[in-house]
Amino acid sequence: MNRFFADKTVLLGITGSIAVFKACELVSRMRELGARVHCALTRSGAEMIQPATLEALSGNPVITEMFGTRTGHTISHIAMTRQADLIMVAPATANILAKAAQGIGDDWLSTALLAARSPVLFAPAMNTFMYTHAATQANIALLKERGVFFVGPAPGRLACGEEGPGRMAEVPELLEAAAQALHPQKDLASLRVLITSGPNFEPIDAARYIGNRSSGKMGYALALEALCRGAAVCVVSGPATQPPPVAAEIVSVQTAREMYNAVLERLPGCDILIGAAAVADYRIALPDPGKIKRSDEPMTLHLVPNPDILAEAAAKKKAGQRFVGFAAETENAVEKAREKLQRKQLDMIVANLIGGERCAIGSDCGDAWILTAGGVSEAYPQVEKATLAKYIFDHLVSG
Ligand code: C5P
């Protein structure tokens, strides 16, 4: 995530919704990710949260008024919009959406939105009837037509006690949407990327399974990178600790055979297949439908091999499709990866070192090498998974 926010300036408009409490965490997460955050509070926003709170979280003065201020800070809306890489309004009320759609500039934030030159992202938060009102829907449609981005709202129980769409998106979703809006280069637009991610759990009995330590972080980084570059992304994910980005289509599976079926079903519609999952090579031949009882006798589990998803997909490959694999190795990673690249008929393979102190499994970074069928061989020592995802797509785009 850092790669999308590092050194970026985000102007965060906060309007009068009870969802302002999520804005606090949003500011703090964006700063952690390396962004400079400037907050602008509307008058009703300032009824919900004290500028001092946002000032402390953002490390910057909070803009509250167009002329003369309660806090003593006046910041030109033109200068600020020129500095901003992204203008995000979270929470965004029906009122600010209406003003933005109609071009009304009657306070600092609405005027800044009129002067905007950077991408604009709204996270609506309001009562269901306000959200579904024809006027609000028409304003949203008009803003979308002009290229404005939206995230949420989600359905659920609202602060007013009613149920329905209107809850502001949660912080991880807000960050993903901001990352997408912050990424100008859409060089994967119109491409469909299918990614396998995470571990497999192979049942032993009703309670136990065989699993592995894959976290799903690499699959998540690949999916987010592809989404930010404009691709349509589907992630077939095992039970990972890091769930895939919400903007991706997510197919949740447990076993290697479920993953295999999900991939083969979607294979004809994809342009790029990336096998980032740590697929279980074996499964229990006959899992016990009950719970195996403890005994003092040694026990043998009878394992049978699972299908090799990538190799079988490669056999069905159509012209123009590109397939990428990963090779997690404890030693001789590059040689073993090159052998797998050829055996599985892949276009690219990414070798990772596992085991030891610099183990890539579960970690945010690791030693990696990108090898392509065309002869590219590049080493990336201790590279962050998000950065590695960028390099993988850079090679695919240029190759
Ligand atoms: O396990 P192995 O080192 O052969 O994995 C190499 C690549 O093949 C990885 O991308 C992995 O996701 C994929 N794979 C697969 N089906 C398997 C085993 C591995 O798609 N049964």
Side-chain angles (χ1 to χ4, degrees):
M1 219 15 125
N2 297 54
R3 108 164 190 76
F4 300 101
F5 289 89
D7 223 26
K8 293 282 169 30
T9 300
V10 179
L11 170 58
L12 180 66
I14 296 167
T15 65
S17 153
I18 193 64
V20 286
F21 71 94
K22 293 185 195 170
C24 295
E25 196 192 333
L26 177 66
V27 173
S28 138
R29 287 287 293 127
M30 287 199 290
R31 274 195 83 195
E32 267 171 33
L33 291 167
R36 287 176 290 274
V37 184
H38 293 272
C39 297
L41 264 177
T42 60
R43 194 164 286 193
S44 50
E47 296 291 335
M48 300 283 187
I49 187 168
Q50 286 294 316
T53 307
L54 295 167
E55 214 153 285
L57 291 169
S58 69
N60 280 314
V62 172
I63 308 154
T64 52
E65 300 279 338
M66 190 82 188
F67 311 102
T69 67
R70 279 185 277 183
T71 58
H73 303 296
T74 37
I75 301 172
S76 150
H77 55 282
I78 303 290
M80 182 56 80
T81 54
R82 294 299 168 270
Q83 278 174 42
D85 296 290
L86 171 68
I87 304 183
M88 182 167 182
V89 185
T93 54
N95 184 47
I96 194 72
L97 296 176
K99 289 203 271 186
Q102 303 308 319
I104 295 171
D106 65 353
D107 63 2
W108 195 94
L109 182 60
S110 53
T111 313
L113 286 167
L114 265 178
R117 285 289 166 274
S118 43
V120 174
L121 169 65
F122 285 107
M126 65 197 78
N127 167 274
T128 299
F129 288 97
M130 292 171 81
Y131 179 67
T132 53
H133 193 286
T136 306
Q137 289 302 311
N139 289 330
I140 291 174
L142 189 59
L143 289 165
K144 282 186 177 170
E145 231 170 76
R146 292 187 197 138
V148 170
F149 297 100
F150 279 82
V151 53
R157 200 185 63 79
L158 306 174
C160 56
E162 286 175 5
E163 292 264 344
R167 283 172 68 89
M168 185 163 85
E170 300 300 325
V171 173
E173 210 176 324
L174 295 173
L175 290 170
E176 281 173 19
Q180 286 178 60
L182 275 166
H183 201 280
Q185 178 199 12
K186 302 291 178 201
D187 54 359
L188 298 176
S190 80
L191 292 183
R192 287 154 305 172
V193 178
L194 179 60
I195 298 169
T196 69
S197 179
N200 292 132
F201 287 178
E202 298 291 345
I204 299 172
D205 65 13
R208 306 173 180 99
Y209 60 83
I210 298 177
N212 61 59
R213 289 187 229 278
S214 169
S215 60
K217 286 181 179 173
M218 193 65 232
Y220 174 90
L222 288 161
L224 185 62
E225 179 73 22
L227 286 166
C228 288
R229 292 166 76 152
V233 178
C234 174
V235 184
V236 180
S237 176
T241 49
Q242 165 79 67
V246 280
E249 183 200 345
I250 300 162
V251 183
S252 297
V253 297
Q254 295 269 324
T255 67
R257 280 192 300 176
E258 286 166 7
M259 187 170 264
Y260 170 83
N261 289 332
V263 168
L264 285 217
E265 197 180 304
R266 287 159 183 83
L267 192 63
C270 84
D271 300 293
I272 296 172
L273 168 65
I274 307 184
V279 182
D281 290 322
Y282 294 92
R283 67 178 181 275
I284 307 290
L286 273 178
D288 193 318
K291 187 175 171 217
I292 301 169
K293 296 285 169 294
R294 188 192 179 285
S295 96
D296 290 333
E297 295 304 309
M299 183 179 173
T300 305
L301 293 172
H302 182 57
L303 301 176
V304 291
N306 272 325
D308 188 322
I309 303 170
L310 269 186
E312 299 219 14
K316 299 180 175 11
K317 191 173 175 187
K318 289 190 304 190
Q321 286 186 316
R322 276 166 305 162
F323 292 175
V324 180
F326 278 76
E329 306 291 348
T330 51
E331 56 192 5
N332 302 331
V334 176
E335 296 78 60
K336 288 182 178 168
R338 185 150 298 284
E339 182 274 320
K340 273 181 199 167
L341 176 81
Q342 282 152 6
R343 177 163 46 85
K344 300 197 186 202
Q345 298 173 57
L346 302 172
D347 298 282
M348 180 190 292
I349 196 153
V350 184
N352 279 133
L353 262 191
I354 60 163
E357 270 176 21
R358 291 161 71 131
C359 181
I361 294 187
S363 132
D364 290 326
C365 60
D367 294 326
W369 294 261
I370 291 181
L371 313 174
T372 70
V376 168
S377 172
E378 276 184 30
Y380 301 98
Q382 284 303 292
V383 64
E384 274 209 3
K385 288 181 176 170
T387 312
L388 182 59
K390 172 188 161 9
Y391 293 141
I392 291 169
F393 284 109
D394 285 350
H395 278 291
L396 283 170
V397 167
S398 66

